[in-house]
Amino acid sequence: SPAEEKVKWAVHIEVRLQQRVTMRFDTIRKIVESYLHSSFDRISLPSVLEGWDEIPELASTVEKISASESSCPQRSPPLDETLLEIHVYQPSDSESFEDFNAGGDDADDTNAATVCDLPNRHWEGLWDSLIYADDIKMRLLDYIHATLLLSDAEVDLNLISWNRVVLLHGPPGTGKTSLCRALAQKLSIRLSHRYSQARLLEINSHSLFSKWFSESGKLVQRLFNNITELVDEDDSFLVVLIDEVESLTAARAGAMAGTEPSDGLRVVNALLTQLDKLKHRKNVLIMSTSNLVQAIDSAFVDRADIVQYIDLPPREAVYDIMRTSLCEMVDKGIVLPIAVPTLNEAKMLELSAGASTAVSHTDPRQREKTVGLKLLALATICKQQNLSGRALRRLPVLALARYISTGSISAPGGKRRGVAVEVWLEGME
Ligand code: ADP
């Protein structure tokens, strides 16, 4: 009976294609499906899959196949107990983002918004580079994905209401803007079978409101005319990213307090009205970020279905951010080869180091252990200093810059020796 049927967890397989592939995506999907069933009993999540290049049709079309992380409780579930969702996509490599500029007569660089095609090669890898605690990325992605599917089912908006507005807020440099882009990219991959085209439109709130205040009203109008045009195509999906949304709503607060011209009020009202109109479109998602949620107009916060606080990274996330930076430098030959312990390995080391003070120095793995413990100690210091993700991603550069004059790092093409990991760690400290 249906009640006895086992719950199957969805496993998302992402198949990235090479440029200029002429084979039908559907055909490729079927080949991938049979490759998965013939090559794996279990599939570990997340992982990059291998062996597909032995199949000629895949070797000539595919660039990468990966299994995404999943909320499935098993780390490597048996394939036949999962619901395989295979997403075949070809990222656009158009780097030239189309601009909507402020219009008017002068060639001012006030771009009200930029648009790019999704999925985009530019945002590949961004998702994996962002590290948070508590599966926050996954929960957001699954939640938004689910709600998009729900609205696609044409539920009555009077009974189930969903504005398609997401708000991420928290301290600066915690990756909110990047997370929005990464989410947009992931969603476009997951929805690729549903929509033939997806786009990301980024609204630059600052330039929309800082200058030419009296022009802003017209600008909002033009912007939304463009947005409406984009969502009028039923077959295309649009993500609108409104960065630093507080600068937009501060305009209204200022207007109320009488410090700004009443134009500000009109502009913000126009924007909110336009957002409300989008509510009835199922092929649009609005994502916004803010560094100060208190400063956002309550009328905007009320419209958001998901209000998610993004905090500074905890010690565990700091470890992983530094670990991934270090691994990248080892990978590129800037730091000499070393296997950097994973977070769990390092934590185990920490526990056992506390229990037995006698460590064997003859152990060949001693060096790696020391690196793990040192990184953990660094993570503790960084956490105490409340460093943001942005500051942490910058730190390795500063650490190495101190040694650049020693000749350990040389220009591309030059004979590179690389530095020992200990040197890097010292620089980091
Ligand atoms: P915000 O919008 O919150 O100010 P950004 O999205 O501009 O932050 O983040 C800037 C950069 O900082 C990101 O591109 C990323 O390299 C790094 N970063 C921030 N938070 C994290 C994180 N949690 N994990 C990994 N990198 C991060």
Side-chain angles (χ1 to χ4, degrees):
S1 78
E4 283 165 0
E5 208 173 277
K6 250 183 144 174
V7 179
K8 284 194 168 186
W9 290 91
V11 165
H12 295 273
I13 307 287
E14 298 180 359
V15 182
R16 185 170 86 205
L17 298 186
Q18 303 166 5
Q19 297 307 109
R20 286 179 281 281
V21 168
T22 48
M23 202 186 293
R24 282 178 56 102
F25 286 15
D26 234 13
T27 315
I28 299 175
R29 187 177 303 121
K30 287 195 183 105
I31 302 172
V32 170
E33 191 171 4
S34 75
Y35 145 74
L36 289 172
H37 283 292
S38 62
S39 316
F40 301 92
D41 293 327
R42 291 172 172 274
I43 202 145
S44 67
L45 307 172
S47 64
V48 175
L49 306 185
E50 275 161 28
W52 48 265
D53 46 352
E54 283 161 28
I55 302 159
E57 291 99 324
L58 296 184
S60 62
T61 53
V62 170
E63 207 167 65
K64 183 181 180 188
I65 301 185
S66 49
S68 306
E69 62 261 76
S70 144
S71 27
C72 173
Q74 282 174 281
R75 289 297 297 270
S76 57
L79 211 56
D80 50 12
E81 286 175 23
T82 65
L83 207 65
L84 269 188
E85 297 211 21
I86 302 171
H87 311 288
V88 178
Y89 73 103
Q90 191 169 36
S92 155
D93 60 357
S94 71
E95 276 220 37
S96 57
F97 297 170
E98 189 187 326
D99 293 324
F100 284 124
N101 63 39
D105 27 29
D106 59 331
D108 197 289
D109 56 359
T110 321
N111 287 325
T114 56
V115 193
C116 75
D117 286 330
L118 289 177
N120 199 296
R121 219 163 262 280
H122 208 72
W123 310 132
E124 281 289 302
L126 187 58
W127 175 266
D128 293 326
S129 78
L130 294 169
I131 297 162
Y132 295 101
D134 315 327
D135 275 346
I136 238 177
K137 286 194 301 181
M138 271 278 309
R139 277 192 293 121
L140 273 173
L141 175 64
D142 281 346
Y143 190 60
I144 300 171
H145 184 217
T147 43
L148 288 173
L149 292 181
L150 258 185
S151 23
D152 206 24
E154 301 201 352
V155 292
D156 185 344
L157 276 179
N158 295 313
L159 303 176
I160 298 173
S161 134
W162 156 248
N163 294 324
R164 286 181 208 86
V165 179
V166 178
L167 170 63
L168 305 183
H169 67 104
T174 45
K176 298 177 295 296
T177 313
S178 312
L179 183 54
C180 286
R181 291 177 180 142
L183 276 166
Q185 173 96 341
K186 277 276 174 185
L187 285 169
S188 70
I189 293 170
R190 285 202 182 178
L191 295 171
S192 58
H193 62 282
R194 171 68 184 78
Y195 297 99
S196 66
Q197 192 171 28
R199 291 196 192 92
L200 171 67
L201 182 139
E202 294 191 23
I203 298 183
N204 187 338
S205 323
H206 260 322
S207 53
L208 193 60
F209 283 94
S210 59
K211 288 189 192 173
W212 316 125
F213 213 67
S214 57
E215 292 285 301
S216 290
K218 271 185 256 164
L219 221 76
V220 169
Q221 202 57 53
R222 275 190 39 175
L223 200 61
F224 276 86
N225 286 346
N226 279 316
I227 291 178
T228 314
E229 251 169 54
L230 292 176
V231 288
D232 271 345
E233 300 164 33
D234 268 351
D235 208 21
S236 79
F237 183 73
L238 181 72
V239 180
V240 179
L241 168 55
I242 312 177
D243 219 358
E244 299 183 35
V245 74
E246 72 271 8
S247 69
L248 201 150
T249 41
R252 176 148 113 154
M256 302 258 217
T259 54
E260 297 276 355
S262 58
D263 282 339
L265 188 63
R266 252 183 282 134
V267 172
V268 177
N269 284 342
L271 188 111
L272 292 174
T273 312
Q274 295 289 352
L275 284 181
D276 278 341
K277 281 192 193 153
L278 288 180
K279 178 175 162 180
H280 299 284
R281 308 297 192 113
K282 54 187 179 188
N283 55 341
V284 59
L285 173 73
I286 295 164
M287 291 208 243
S288 53
T289 74
S290 173
N291 293 331
L292 302 152
V293 83
Q294 296 89 339
I296 310 181
D297 199 311
S298 62
F300 185 86
V301 179
D302 275 349
R303 278 166 175 78
D305 304 293
I306 303 174
V307 179
Q308 175 71 53
Y309 182 69
I310 307 285
D311 206 352
L312 291 166
R315 179 173 175 251
E316 283 73 19
V318 174
Y319 183 91
D320 269 337
I321 293 175
M322 291 199 292
R323 178 177 183 276
T324 48
S325 298
L326 176 55
C327 288
E328 173 67 7
M329 287 198 287
V330 170
D331 224 40
K332 298 289 150 74
I334 297 168
V335 171
L336 292 172
I338 180 126
V340 191
T342 63
L343 175 64
N344 282 337
E345 286 167 356
K347 282 186 139 180
M348 293 297 284
L349 289 172
E350 195 179 40
L351 280 178
S352 59
S356 69
T357 40
V359 277
S360 149
H361 287 277
T362 51
D363 186 342
R365 286 201 51 224
Q366 190 57 43
R367 217 176 135 223
E368 286 163 22
K369 289 186 187 173
T370 314
V371 170
L373 290 174
K374 199 79 185 265
L375 266 188
L376 265 185
L378 278 174
T380 309
I381 300 173
C382 291
K383 183 61 221 162
Q384 282 162 357
Q385 306 274 331
N386 273 330
L387 290 193
S388 71
R390 182 187 289 144
L392 285 165
R393 286 273 182 229
R394 197 157 47 202
L395 217 55
V397 183
L398 302 180
L400 273 179
R402 301 180 48 189
Y403 297 93
I404 205 131
S405 53
T406 65
S408 309
I409 312 158
S410 58
K415 199 162 177 294
R416 205 192 263 154
R417 277 184 292 133
V419 294
V421 68
E422 287 79 8
V423 174
W424 181 78
L425 282 170
E426 201 192 301
M428 286 290 278
E429 210 170 339

